[in-house]
C-alpha cells in the first residue's frame, strides 16, 4: 500500500491522531454526504507526501461521482456548502470533476478560502460552475498545469 499510516505516525502526528482525523472526516463529512448523495468514490484521503496538504494529516479526501456530470457535482457542492461543517472544499472541474473536502476538529478557516472552484487553465470567476459557489481564494494560491498549489 502506497499511503498506509506508519505505526510511528506521519507529519508530526501519531498514528492515533491520524486515525482520529480520518474518523472526524468520515463522521462529519463523508457519512452525511453519503446519506444525501450516495455513490461517490474516494480517490484518496491520507497520503504520505511533503508539503502542507491536509491529506498529510488525515484531514482531507478527494472524491468523485462516477457517471455524474460536472453540473450534477456542482449541485452536490452547493449542498455541501450549505449543510456540512467542512474546513475547505475545492471543486476541480473541466471535462470531469472531483471534489476536495477537508475537516478539522476545530479552527475552521474563516478567511474566505473555504470554497474554491478551479478550472484547468486558471481560476474561473462568474462561470457556470462557480457562480454562487466561490467565496474567495487566498492570495497564496496559484494554479499550475498539475492543479492547485498553495504557496
Amino acid at each position: 500500500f502506497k499511503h498506509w499510516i506508519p505505526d510511528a505516525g506521519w507529519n508530526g502526528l501519531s498514528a492515533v491522531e491520524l486515525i482520529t482525523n480520518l474518523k472526524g472526516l468520515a463522521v462529519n463529512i463523508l457519512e452525511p454526504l453519503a446519506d444525501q448523495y450516495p455513490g461517490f468514490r474516494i480517490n484518496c484521503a491520507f497520503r504520505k507526501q511533503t508539503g502542507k496538504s491536509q491529506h498529510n494529516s488525515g484531514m482531507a479526501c478527494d472524491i468523485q461521482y462516477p457517471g455524474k456530470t460536472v453540473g450534477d457535482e456542482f449541485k452536490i457542492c452547493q449542498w455541501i456548502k450549505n449543510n456540512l461543517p467542512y474546513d475547505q472544499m475545492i471543486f476541480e472541474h473541466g471535462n470531469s470533476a472531483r471534489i476536495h473536502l477537508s475537516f478539522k476538529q476545530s479552527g475552521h478557516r474563516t478567511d474566505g478560502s473555504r470554497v474554491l472552484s478551479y478550472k484547468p487553465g486558471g481560476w474561473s470567476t462568474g462561470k457556470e460552475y462557480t457562480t454562487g459557489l466561490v467565496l474567495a481564494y487566498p492570495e497564496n494560491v496559484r494554479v499550475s498545469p498539475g492543479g492547485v498549489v498553495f504557496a
Side-chain angles (χ1 to χ4, degrees), residues 36-96:
Q36 186 69 28
Y37 291 101
F40 61 82
R41 174 183 66 215
I42 299 173
N43 292 341
C44 69
F46 170 74
R47 59 183 182 229
K48 296 186 297 181
Q49 63 186 38
T50 59
K52 296 181 181 180
S53 170
Q54 287 179 295
H55 289 280
N56 293 335
S57 301
M59 294 183 203
C61 66
D62 296 330
I63 64 168
Q64 284 185 300
Y65 281 88
K68 293 210 181 285
T69 66
V70 173
D72 292 337
E73 291 198 42
F74 174 68
K75 289 176 186 171
I76 293 168
C77 286
Q78 290 176 313
W79 183 86
I80 293 167
K81 178 183 172 188
N82 294 323
N83 293 283
L84 296 181
Y86 62 89
D87 178 54
Q88 184 178 52
M89 174 173 54
I90 301 173
F91 179 46
E92 298 174 86
H93 57 90
N95 294 330
S96 63

